[in-house]
């Protein structure tokens, strides 16, 4: 992870909420593999995926309201 990203994450840590989440073993293994390949934490991968999912859902809701 780049130094600037680490600093940004460090400043965000004070405002993060901790959650315990259960995954099916195959999904967890895939998430671990992605984290290792990207050289980031598993938590980072899950946060990144969650942020993308939420953004997509917000966009989908907006389109439904317009159409």
């Amino acid at each position: 992870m780049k130094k600037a990203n680490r600093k940004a994450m460090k400043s965000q840590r004070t405002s993060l909420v901790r959650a315990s989440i259960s995954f099916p073993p195959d999904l967890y293994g895939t998430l671990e593999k992605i984290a290792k390949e990207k050289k980031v934490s598993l938590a980072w991968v899950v946060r990144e995926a969650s942020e993308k999912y939420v953004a997509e859902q917000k966009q989908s809701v907006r389109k439904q309201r317009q159409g």
Side-chain angles (χ1 to χ4, degrees):
M1 191 179 327
K2 292 183 181 177
K3 197 172 191 175
N5 288 346
R6 276 186 251 146
K7 282 187 178 183
M9 283 304 299
K10 200 173 200 177
S11 66
Q12 286 181 350
R13 285 186 187 140
T14 56
S15 63
L16 295 178
V17 175
R18 184 171 290 274
S20 176
I21 303 170
S22 299
F23 295 103
D26 58 333
L27 176 57
Y28 186 82
T30 301
L31 291 168
E32 280 189 314
K33 183 179 176 183
I34 291 167
K36 285 179 185 176
E37 288 173 357
K38 290 182 163 276
K39 297 181 181 174
V40 297
S41 68
L42 178 67
W44 186 93
V45 173
V46 172
R47 279 192 300 270
E48 183 77 6
S50 298
E51 288 174 4
K52 288 179 180 181
Y53 176 80
V54 168
E56 288 173 6
Q57 292 303 305
K58 284 182 179 180
Q59 187 176 24
S60 177
V61 168
R62 279 189 217 117
K63 285 181 180 179
Q64 287 176 354
R65 288 181 182 165
Q66 292 173 353

